């Protein structure tokens, strides 16, 4: 018998930090990055969108490469990640 794991997360409307239509919750991506990488390793996200993977990496002390073709989303991700980098420097 097959077993499946499901992660249930709220709609974007309940946690949206940006205007990106498919933004993921940082807590979800943080779980994936945490269990699949070690500190200072590099995480590649070829569909970077609003930068959630970058935020998770900043919070978990990982390096990252994000690829995004939409210039609007690139700027959105840059601003979002800078905001989290500034917050982590203050703590």
């Amino acid at each position: 018998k097959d077993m499946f794991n499901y992660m249930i997360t709220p709609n974007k409307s309940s946690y949206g930090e940006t205007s990106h239509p498919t933004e993921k919750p940082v807590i979800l991506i943080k779980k994936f990055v945490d269990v699949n990488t070690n500190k200072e390793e590099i995480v590649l996200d070829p569909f970077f969108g609003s930068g959630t993977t970058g935020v998770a990496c900043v919070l978990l002390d990982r390096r990252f490469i994000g690829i995004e073709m939409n210039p609007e989303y690139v700027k959105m991700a840059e601003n979002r990640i800078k905001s989290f980098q500034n917050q982590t420097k203050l703590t």
Side-chain angles (χ1 to χ4, degrees), residues 6-65:
Y6 295 94
M7 297 193 89
I8 299 174
T9 62
N11 288 350
K12 179 204 176 296
S13 61
S14 64
Y15 63 81
E17 296 176 13
T18 70
S19 60
H20 192 281
T22 60
E23 178 187 328
K24 308 298 181 286
V26 173
I27 193 166
L28 172 66
I29 304 306
K30 234 176 108 177
K31 288 179 186 180
F32 294 145
V33 171
D34 190 34
V35 300
N36 289 293
T37 64
N38 297 310
K39 284 188 184 272
E40 298 185 11
E41 286 188 337
I42 300 173
V43 176
L44 172 65
D45 184 346
F47 306 100
F48 206 55
S50 66
T52 304
T53 301
V55 171
C57 288
V58 166
L59 296 174
L60 293 170
D61 198 24
R62 270 59 164 185
R63 295 179 294 160
F64 63 91
I65 298 170

Side-chain angles (χ1 to χ4, degrees), residues 4-5 10-11 21 34 37 54 66 69 71-72 76 81 84 91:
F4 300 91
N5 290 321
N11 288 350
D34 190 34
T37 64
M69 64 184 271
E72 179 184 338
M76 182 185 298
I81 292 164
F84 276 88
T91 57

Side-chain angles (χ1 to χ4, degrees), residues 19 70-77:
S19 60
N70 183 322
E72 179 184 338
Y73 296 156
V74 170
K75 192 67 178 165
M76 182 185 298

